[in-house]
Amino acid sequence: MIPVSLPVAYVPLVDAAPLIIAQDMGFAAAEGISLDLISAPSWSSVRDMLAFGRVDAAHLLSPMPVAMGLGLGGVTTELVAPYVLSANGNVIGVGRTLEARLREAGYGFDFTDAAAAAAALAAVLKQDGNAPVTFGAPFPFSMHVELLRYWFDSTPLRECQIDIRVVPPPMMAQALADGDVDAFCVGEPWGSVAVEQGTGALMLPGKAIWEFAPEKVLAVRRAWAETEPHLLSRLMQALWRAGRWLSQPDSRTTAAEILSRPEWLGIPPELIDRALSGRFTISTRAEQREVEGFLNFHDGAANFPWRSQAKWIADRIALANGLDRAEAQRIAGGIFRADLYREHMAGGDVDLPGASEKLEGSIRHGTAVASHKGGLILQPDRFFDGRIFDPIPDEC
């Protein structure tokens, strides 16, 4: 039987791995599909390809379909996210000038404590007369921006003059070198590329701000999800199997070698392995740091599109853009489609959570929850400041 070809857009990042591995390792073929993976230079390119029908599905920043549903960004095509491709995977870094100032002030770049990092950075900026500082981030509606704003708002950085400038991920290291940005939040491997090129140092993993942030989603047009349910089901099944394979420690070396190929990321495998293993070189001093669960493709229901996660994203976007926060949450609840996940992933090996929402930030340790198979353990999802987000319930 000839497999059905599905065009899918992605940005060359380590967290595109489920799509690449599904195609390269035969998980897609086992479902009777072939993924025609199309690399894009920016997130706006991916969005436009999906919105205007160039591709059927896309590797997309988790806030993008939510922002579009709220009428932001200038593209009105209705998108849904029935599947989360990855949790976490971003790094926050600074250029050499800020790195030197932070070291002079005694900051140790521990790569764990978001509150201490913010206090150190704010102190340095205030010593400079509170001069403006620019952070690079890949897109206005991205988890990078939301994590940065949450970090700023909850720490002394709220008193500093900070701008956020959009820089496509593959261009982040060069933007830092050219002085276009002073710091950044970006997905791997591009933070490690900045370290290898000698243009910056890493301060924090995004996980240090929110331990279980939904980073990338599988996004499709709402109309396509309704008219092609069998293709969507095959795609999600293939991605789930690819994510399970990626979650196995013995797979990391092979995964890094596959992703490093010129047709995929075109980056040395040792840089890719840093994200897959969570073992980082954070500076030109060869300082080593380890982050357990830096990038999650599978464990702890990582692929489940929790409506509460979409509502947190919508609440933050509404707050930043002067929108009605309750209405934004209501709309977002219909974009992360837990119902489609349940429909297409029922049966087989997938353990489905009993609920579709949770109190975001409330899980401090691995916690067993009600599930269809009775074996699901959710991983910690703590916010660094200890706050808990209680989503507005859906209307009955």
Side-chain angles (χ1 to χ4, degrees), residues 76-378:
T76 58
T77 304
E78 288 187 275
L79 303 183
V80 295
Y83 187 94
V84 176
L85 288 168
S86 61
N88 303 126
N90 295 324
V91 290
I92 295 171
V94 294
R96 295 301 299 274
T97 299
L98 278 177
E99 178 192 1
R101 294 296 313 281
L102 285 163
R103 292 190 187 279
E104 289 170 5
Y107 179 63
F109 286 82
D110 64 17
F111 211 53
T112 59
D113 191 333
L121 182 57
V124 165
L125 296 180
K126 289 175 183 177
Q127 288 175 0
D128 291 340
N130 202 15
V133 63
T134 300
F135 272 78
F139 197 72
F141 304 112
S142 63
M143 189 54 67
H144 313 79
V145 168
E146 299 309 330
L147 291 177
L148 285 174
R149 286 177 174 165
Y150 190 87
W151 186 46
F152 299 160
D153 292 347
S154 304
T155 66
L157 288 170
R158 63 181 172 273
E159 302 166 3
C160 300
Q161 297 186 58
I162 301 177
D163 296 321
I164 298 177
R165 178 177 299 173
V166 172
V167 179
M171 299 174 62
M172 194 66 75
Q174 190 60 49
L176 202 63
D178 293 343
D180 295 331
V181 298
D182 306 297
F184 61 83
C185 182
V186 73
E188 281 292 280
W190 301 109
S192 289
V193 168
V195 172
E196 289 302 299
Q197 293 182 356
T199 61
L202 305 183
M203 285 190 77
L204 289 170
K207 185 180 179 182
I209 297 172
W210 185 10
E211 282 198 71
F212 209 76
E215 175 53 34
K216 302 299 189 306
V217 296
L218 175 74
V220 299
R221 293 180 299 282
R222 185 185 298 271
W224 189 86
E226 293 171 352
T227 58
E228 301 291 351
H230 297 297
L231 289 179
L232 178 57
S233 180
R234 294 182 194 180
L235 176 56
M236 291 170 62
Q237 292 284 347
L239 291 172
W240 188 86
R241 287 173 172 77
R244 181 175 60 177
W245 182 84
L246 282 162
S247 72
Q248 300 168 5
D250 291 346
S251 300
R252 288 172 183 160
T253 298
T254 300
E257 291 173 351
I258 292 171
L259 295 173
S260 73
R261 294 173 186 166
E263 64 267 32
W264 302 130
L265 271 62
I267 295 293
E270 55 268 25
L271 294 186
I272 295 169
D273 183 67
R274 296 180 190 182
L276 297 177
S277 67
R279 299 185 186 96
F280 284 90
T281 300
I282 66 160
S283 74
T284 55
R285 300 183 178 195
E287 296 165 302
Q288 304 294 305
R289 303 289 186 267
E290 188 164 348
V291 184
E292 184 178 355
F294 170 77
L295 176 57
N296 188 348
F297 295 115
H298 179 76
D299 296 332
N303 308 124
F304 188 75
W306 295 94
R307 289 199 300 259
S308 48
Q309 292 177 337
K311 290 180 178 182
W312 183 87
I313 292 168
D315 190 70
R316 297 296 302 177
I317 291 175
L319 182 64
N321 290 275
L323 304 179
D324 183 275
R325 294 167 70 180
E327 176 64 7
Q329 287 194 43
R330 184 194 66 77
I331 292 170
I335 294 172
F336 273 37
R337 293 291 298 274
D339 60 322
L340 290 180
Y341 187 94
R342 295 182 188 282
E343 175 185 344
H344 296 306
M345 303 303 289
D349 298 328
V350 184
D351 197 359
L352 302 171
S356 294
E357 297 194 8
K358 56 189 175 72
L359 296 175
E360 297 297 333
S362 67
I363 302 175
R364 299 297 197 258
H365 309 282
T367 301
V369 296
S371 65
H372 286 210
K373 295 181 179 295
L376 183 59
I377 297 177
L378 298 185

